Amino acid sequence: MALQARYRWRLPDGTAPDPGLLSAARERGLGERLARVLAARGHRSPADLAAFFDAAEAGLNDPALLPDAVTVLERIGHARSAGERLLVFGDFDADGVTGLAVLVRALRRLGLDAAPYVPSRLSEGHGLSLAAVERARAEGRSLIVTVDCGTTSVAEVTAARAAGIDVIVTDHHHVPERLPDAVAVVNPHRPGSRYPDARLAGSGVAFTLARLLLPGMPDAAGMVPDLAALAVIGTVADVAPMVGENRAIARIGLERLRSAPPAGIAALLVGAGLRSDRIDLDSIAYAIAPRLNAGGRMGDATTAADLLLTDDPAAAERLAGELEIANLARRELTRSVLDEARRSVEAQPGAGATIVAGEWPVGIIGLVAGRLAEERGRPAVVLSSAHDPWRASARSAGGFDLAAAFEACGDLFARHGGHPQAAGGDLPAALFEPFRERFLALAGAAPLDPRPELGVDVVLTAHDLGYGLLRELAALEPTGPGNPAPLVGVSGLSVTRVRPAGEGHAQLTLRKGREVLDGIAFERVDLVERLREGDAVEVVARLASRTFGGYESLQLELRDVAAPGPLAAWLETAA
């Protein structure tokens, strides 16, 4: 049987870009092929190109437009004049701890005593906790500032106010009908918000608030790249769309990470075997963020916060080593839980969503949900039944709005929160079946073709593949959600060799005419048995440059492989 694609390939529609866009692209030295890719991604006018390619600083919006900005300035100003002590409460994931580090550094630059607090994932969960309120009371801290959480923490903010503690919420998650009784709720998703770009991650909101607070301080402008270097990590880790202001933050932050990374990040890179001058968004997503997340997933996220707040290289090396050990343990545990969850999934092949539960560690279920959603092309909810209430973590697929779905199930949860792509909550064990039935009804029937979609930016023959295309597509960097790494569909290849590589991967040697190309297919060891020398194939891949033994070569990072057909037909139609 011919090799079938694992994904539904969404090929370019062939529509010609607007002449004005082509003219503006030529003025910037961009070719028509790249202009077509940009147009397909929604950048269809000269103004769109300017926003995409002009100086990154121009893409930062006015922080005074944040909801409750004036109130925050007044309250922080009062704290400075009165010498108040603050507690900065950050969520335990990479978005939360980087945002926490951003605000702690900014507040300390203002001369404030700002203590970091990261909750326990197991005992406190998401959102402002009563334990943190008690810590602030015991230490005489009269103002709590939350990061990446707090919009739904009505009871906890009420408890803080009863203890004489004010709360400033900074968050980016779904806004419920009832807001907490905080001094300020800085969330760009609030109804009536004038902030131009609500797509910020929690660390992005913290970064923007820091830009609101710092003007007038010595070297305030110089702090912006340092804080952006932290905010870009949280933005990538939270899978925020890499467009608009998030793209601007990423460009500024990446430049600082490459030239002068903070001590903590520099130490993490050493442990990961990466050079700082080669950091990209993939390095953040697959090397930096997992290590920062590992502390919270396996025990104590305070280690990650301490790492991001230290300027001492020796302390950074020690803390990075602790996170490295935690990350290795996290990998092994995730692999084991994922295998068990996959076996449970086999019993629900036609469901519109994946819902599985088991006595699994709370710190792992979000990762498992993400993998299941990716593999099955439908939303996934994974619950840890180790304690009652059960802890739920969900990841989206196919544009399904998890925040709205969890809100529709809100009467079943002890508490919940999230955004369209990811959500979580505490569910009493007795209500699992009612939740499962209601969530499945919301998700609807599974699509006729359950395979996830894979967007292809450029289709070409193997003969046209080369370094010129790699350099051309590099103009799209930095990439991420909303601006994904460009993928090319290549027709006219044949298999010369296929062999296992690493743990579950396949290494391919592919022939294009008289030349050969290296290809790596991650987690596709099945190709070793399904492909033979001489097989003709079409592939969808990301282009990369590989250096080995002092020589540079073009490599295909294969996303999918199939027997010839759709790409050849597309090329024939487009000719």
Side-chain angles (χ1 to χ4, degrees):
M1 182 177 178
L3 181 63
Q4 299 292 313
R6 280 196 172 182
Y7 294 84
R8 288 178 286 118
W9 297 356
R10 177 171 47 80
L11 304 180
D13 63 11
T15 303
D18 181 82
L21 177 70
L22 291 175
S23 176
R26 282 193 295 270
E27 291 175 4
R28 294 177 175 273
L30 308 175
E32 180 177 344
R33 181 163 55 187
L34 184 59
R36 287 177 177 271
V37 173
L38 288 163
R41 294 181 174 213
H43 309 286
R44 299 187 176 95
S45 70
D48 291 336
L49 290 190
F52 196 86
F53 289 110
D54 285 354
E57 288 74 11
L60 298 178
N61 294 304
D62 181 359
L65 296 175
L66 284 170
D68 289 344
V70 172
T71 304
V72 171
L73 282 171
E74 292 174 350
R75 186 62 184 85
I76 295 297
H78 176 75
R80 292 179 69 192
S81 62
E84 292 184 69
R85 306 176 74 205
L86 280 65
L87 184 79
V88 181
F89 180 99
D91 199 14
F92 41 69
D93 64 10
D95 188 26
V97 294
T98 53
L100 174 142
V102 165
L103 276 187
V104 168
R105 285 183 175 273
L107 292 168
R108 287 177 177 175
R109 179 61 65 91
L110 293 171
L112 286 160
D113 176 350
Y117 185 102
V118 184
S120 162
R121 182 188 290 263
L122 180 60
S123 62
E124 295 172 78
H126 288 281
L128 179 62
S129 67
L130 294 176
V133 173
E134 174 57 27
R135 170 78 66 83
R137 187 202 62 76
E139 295 181 358
R141 300 187 181 275
S142 53
L143 178 59
I144 295 174
V145 182
T146 74
V147 178
D148 191 33
C149 61
T151 302
T152 60
S153 300
V154 174
E156 292 78 9
V157 172
T158 299
R161 297 299 292 267
I165 301 169
D166 284 345
V167 179
I168 294 174
V169 169
T170 80
D171 198 0
H172 73 123
H173 290 101
H174 179 73
V175 178
E177 290 186 11
R178 182 186 176 191
L179 290 177
D181 185 25
V183 169
V185 178
V186 184
N187 187 327
H189 291 281
R190 284 182 61 182
S193 171
R194 296 185 300 131
Y195 199 74
D197 197 338
R199 297 169 292 192
L200 295 172
S203 53
V205 175
F207 171 75
T208 305
L209 194 68
R211 290 197 299 114
L212 175 75
L213 298 172
L214 287 171
M217 297 300 296
D219 194 32
M223 279 198 74
V224 169
D226 293 334
L227 299 181
L230 298 171
V232 64
I233 296 171
T235 299
V236 171
D238 210 54
V239 202
M242 199 51 58
V243 294
E245 191 165 16
N246 287 333
R247 176 177 167 81
I249 293 171
R251 292 171 67 191
I252 297 168
L254 279 174
E255 184 175 343
R256 180 51 56 96
L257 286 173
R258 289 166 179 162
S259 60
I265 301 304
L268 278 185
L269 291 173
V270 171
L274 296 173
R275 288 171 44 179
S276 62
D277 61 346
R278 294 193 174 182
I279 289 180
D280 57 16
L281 297 192
D282 278 348
S283 307
I284 294 173
Y286 298 111
I288 297 175
R291 286 166 169 81
L292 291 177
N293 276 324
R297 294 190 187 283
M298 302 305 295
D300 187 3
T302 302
T303 305
D306 291 343
L307 178 77
L308 297 174
L309 288 169
T310 187
D311 295 316
D312 178 5
E317 182 179 359
R318 175 180 57 79
L319 292 165
E322 293 178 16
L323 290 178
E324 190 68 30
I325 293 171
N327 191 48
L328 291 173
R330 187 272 308 167
R331 285 181 182 174
E332 184 58 38
L333 188 57
T334 301
R335 186 180 298 113
S336 173
V337 172
L338 184 59
D339 287 344
E340 188 175 343
R342 282 172 175 151
R343 288 193 291 271
S344 298
V345 166
E346 291 173 359
Q348 40 185 295
T354 299
I355 303 176
V356 292
E359 293 189 2
W360 302 316
V362 168
I364 301 301
I365 57 176
L367 297 174
V368 175
R371 290 294 298 276
L372 293 176
E374 179 183 350
E375 291 174 0
R376 308 196 77 215
R378 63 197 72 182
V381 185
V382 179
L383 299 100
S384 170
S385 59
H387 303 278
D388 194 359
W390 293 6
R391 189 70 55 80
S393 188
R395 296 296 181 270
S396 183
F400 185 76
D401 189 335
L402 284 171
F406 269 49
E407 185 69 18
C409 300
D411 59 307
L412 303 175
F413 284 106
R415 62 176 181 172
H416 69 280
H419 47 75
Q421 291 77 38
D426 292 343
L427 182 73
L431 297 178
F432 172 68
E433 277 304 319
F435 165 75
R436 188 183 70 83
E437 292 174 6
R438 191 183 304 180
F439 191 89
L440 287 176
L442 291 167
L448 293 177
D449 185 347
R451 296 176 302 171
E453 185 177 77
L454 192 63
V456 181
D457 295 279
V458 177
V459 179
L460 71 170
T461 65
H463 175 76
D464 296 322
L465 195 62
Y467 273 99
L469 178 59
L470 176 65
R471 289 189 290 268
E472 188 177 1
L473 295 177
L476 296 172
E477 296 288 344
T479 56
N483 183 45
L487 297 180
V488 299
V490 188
S491 178
L493 293 167
S494 62
V495 177
T496 298
R497 185 186 183 196
V498 57
R499 59 188 177 86
E503 296 183 7
H505 314 315
Q507 183 81 42
L508 280 72
T509 303
L510 300 168
R511 181 172 295 281
K512 62 159 196 165
R514 296 182 179 181
E515 302 177 50
V516 293
L517 291 168
D518 285 331
I520 180 71
F522 295 109
E523 300 184 2
R524 287 300 306 272
V525 72
D526 62 292
L527 294 175
V528 175
E529 298 297 328
R530 304 184 69 184
L531 290 174
R532 296 289 181 268
E533 180 179 349
D535 283 353
V537 292
E538 293 182 341
V539 305
V540 175
R542 177 182 178 183
L543 297 185
S545 180
R546 175 174 175 265
T547 302
F548 184 77
Y551 293 95
E552 190 175 23
S553 61
L554 196 65
Q555 185 178 58
L556 298 176
E557 295 180 1
L558 300 169
R559 297 291 192 269
D560 207 359
V561 183
L567 299 184
W570 188 94
L571 287 167
E572 184 177 345
T573 302

